[in-house]
Amino acid sequence: MLTVSRQPSLLLLAVVTLGMYGTVHMDEDTGAAMGEIFQSMRYLLPLSVDDSWRDAQHLQHVRDALETVAERASLLGEHGQSDRYVFRFLGYTLASDLREVLRRYELAEFESARFLLLRATDYCVACHARLPSPNDSPLSAHFVDGTVLARLPLEQRAHLEVATRRFDDALTSFEALFAAPDVHPSSLLGALTDYLIISIRVRQDFDRALTTLQIFGKRPDLWTALREDVAHWVAALREFRARPFDPPTLSLAVELIDLATSYRRYIADRRSLVHYVLASSVLHRFLESHPQRDGLARTYYLLGLVEFQIGRDFWVAQGEMFLETAIRLAPDSPIALDAYALLEQEILLGYTGSSGLHLPDDERERLERLRALLGARPNTGQF
């Protein structure tokens, strides 16, 4: 197994580079675990991208590194503090995915193992893109641009830059992507969402986002609806850039969500994207105030609502995760009923295809366990 000595600098690396919420409180073991994950991923990702990890001289070292990240991710799940529900969830699910990477690697299924390893960085992104971060991590400088990872397509490169807390680098990569004449706007919808999340939630840089969107909005290949969406985002950024959003409160988040809902014309309407991103920022920062349990449940419920409007990542289903957390925090509350109804719908629709519903056993059992928490309620049904 690859090991990293537990020195104070390692704990600092863990806090600065991989901390989930702005203020991270962790013991030395947890900090060391996060540091080892970072160092192992620094080793694994370049090897996987240039495909040299299948070479004989790397096989044992790669196995050791994969074992390290899986075991250390499990430790993060076990050591998650009581008020870090999502942190524990991410630790356990990351560990499960990394064990699958190791299994496929040992079967010489290198392509699928590489795909899963790159997807595992989504858990880092899910953590790092929540709260404001005034500075990039100096400890991960050149993690991307100093390796073969720099040859990745711009969107994937930006994704890894967020995962390693190089936010300004990520914004620069996104801006280059938006200006690329050979990339059609239809493939940029997800990147535009990610760009606004980093600009608003992490960097709180409304002016930079404004400049970028104004330039993007002049592209001649935008279709009518997207051009209108961009104009609405620009208008919202202008409106909100001078407005204070401190202190973050539930009432402020609800106000933003209500505004966003009032502007929507249909379910998939994207014109309220800036409002939803701002609401999510307020909610994530509100969690830092350690609200009471009922307030905590409502916060996670609202985060679930918002995530289904801005989230696009099928790999880390944050919307589902937030709703399930709300149910478990306050199973006897009306919030839990609403959260379950939305979660059940999203899960069932996600597995509905042209040949009907094919709900995996683990998802069916998950819903059954949550229904059991709610008790015998008249508006919790079967499927």
Side-chain angles (χ1 to χ4, degrees):
M1 180 188 302
L2 290 180
T3 58
V4 181
S5 61
R6 293 178 181 178
Q7 300 174 357
S9 60
L10 179 59
L11 183 57
L12 175 63
L13 180 148
V15 172
V16 173
T17 306
L18 293 170
M20 178 177 180
Y21 291 100
T23 303
V24 180
H25 304 284
M26 63 179 73
D27 58 30
E28 184 179 353
D29 287 342
T30 304
M34 297 178 85
E36 288 187 73
I37 290 173
F38 176 76
Q39 297 288 22
S40 295
M41 293 296 278
R42 183 194 287 274
Y43 168 73
L44 287 166
L45 285 168
L47 285 178
S48 71
V49 168
D50 72 5
D51 211 28
S52 60
W53 70 344
R54 67 173 69 201
D55 296 345
Q57 68 267 31
H58 295 304
L59 291 178
Q60 188 57 51
H61 291 302
V62 169
R63 289 193 190 100
D64 289 346
L66 288 172
E67 288 178 358
T68 294
V69 292
E71 291 178 6
R72 294 305 180 256
S74 293
L75 182 64
L76 296 183
E78 293 167 4
H79 283 211
Q81 295 177 326
S82 61
D83 60 342
R84 303 301 188 199
Y85 303 96
V86 176
F87 189 49
R88 293 206 306 270
F89 176 90
L90 290 174
Y92 284 129
T93 51
L94 173 60
S96 176
D97 283 359
L98 290 170
R99 283 192 291 270
E100 181 63 15
V101 173
L102 176 59
R103 187 186 75 83
R104 297 196 186 196
Y105 183 81
E106 291 179 332
L107 292 173
E109 296 176 3
F110 297 113
E111 289 299 324
S112 61
R114 173 170 44 250
F115 171 80
L116 290 174
L117 183 65
L118 287 170
R119 290 264 57 101
T121 61
D122 291 2
Y123 295 96
C124 302
V125 172
C127 290
H128 298 165
R130 295 171 186 265
L131 290 174
S133 179
N135 300 302
D136 285 1
S137 169
L139 298 171
S140 55
H142 309 301
F143 185 105
V144 175
D145 61 13
T147 69
V148 296
L149 299 175
R151 300 203 299 262
L152 288 170
L154 283 167
E155 187 169 1
Q156 291 184 36
R157 174 174 173 155
H159 182 89
L160 287 180
E161 286 164 342
V162 174
T164 54
R165 300 188 68 88
R166 299 296 299 178
F167 300 114
D168 283 338
D169 293 344
L171 291 176
T172 298
S173 295
F174 278 127
E175 288 159 1
L177 177 65
F178 301 152
D182 58 336
V183 180
H184 193 269
S186 60
S187 65
L188 296 176
L189 299 180
L192 286 164
T193 300
D194 291 343
Y195 182 81
L196 284 170
I197 288 173
I198 302 305
S199 297
I200 293 172
R201 283 203 320 221
V202 179
R203 275 294 182 251
Q204 299 182 309
D205 192 342
F206 288 59
D207 290 335
R208 181 169 181 171
L210 261 174
T211 299
T212 299
L213 290 178
Q214 286 171 332
I215 295 172
F216 182 77
K218 296 177 182 177
R219 285 186 55 150
D221 52 356
L222 300 188
W223 60 94
T224 301
L226 180 56
R227 193 179 305 281
E228 292 177 352
D229 287 342
V230 173
H232 280 281
W233 302 342
V234 166
L237 288 168
R238 283 176 176 157
E239 175 186 355
F240 290 127
R241 64 178 170 178
R243 176 176 172 178
F245 287 95
D246 289 308
T249 62
L250 275 181
S251 59
L252 176 57
V254 170
E255 176 190 344
L256 289 165
I257 293 171
D258 287 344
L259 275 174
T261 304
S262 69
Y263 293 148
R264 286 171 55 197
R265 299 163 296 176
Y266 45 86
I267 292 177
D269 193 351
R270 295 169 54 84
R271 65 171 53 190
S272 298
L273 182 58
V274 168
H275 292 75
Y276 283 122
V277 173
L278 271 170
S280 71
S281 176
V282 171
L283 290 166
H284 282 300
R285 289 188 295 119
F286 177 69
L287 285 176
E288 289 296 282
S289 68
H290 304 289
Q292 296 298 314
R293 197 173 185 85
D294 55 347
L296 197 59
R298 190 179 182 209
T299 303
Y300 278 114
Y301 169 67
L302 292 173
L303 275 170
L305 288 180
V306 171
E307 187 64 26
F308 284 125
Q309 299 301 321
I310 64 177
R312 68 184 185 92
D313 199 327
F314 69 93
W315 204 257
V316 183
Q318 293 192 78
E320 295 180 11
M321 178 172 58
F322 294 142
L323 293 177
E324 181 169 346
T325 301
I327 296 167
R328 293 186 178 280
L329 283 170
D332 294 327
S333 70
I335 286 292
L337 292 175
D338 291 340
Y340 179 84
L342 180 56
L343 176 61
E344 182 184 55
Q345 173 179 280
E346 292 296 327
I347 290 176
L348 293 179
L349 292 180
Y351 287 98
T352 300
S354 58
S355 58
L357 175 65
H358 297 282
L359 190 64
D361 289 341
D362 59 340
E363 293 286 17
R364 187 182 300 276
E365 292 168 2
R366 175 189 179 191
L367 291 174
E368 288 173 353
R369 288 194 299 269
L370 292 174
R371 278 203 309 276
L373 284 177
L374 296 173
R377 307 290 184 87
N379 49 346
T380 56
Q382 300 290 326
F383 44 85

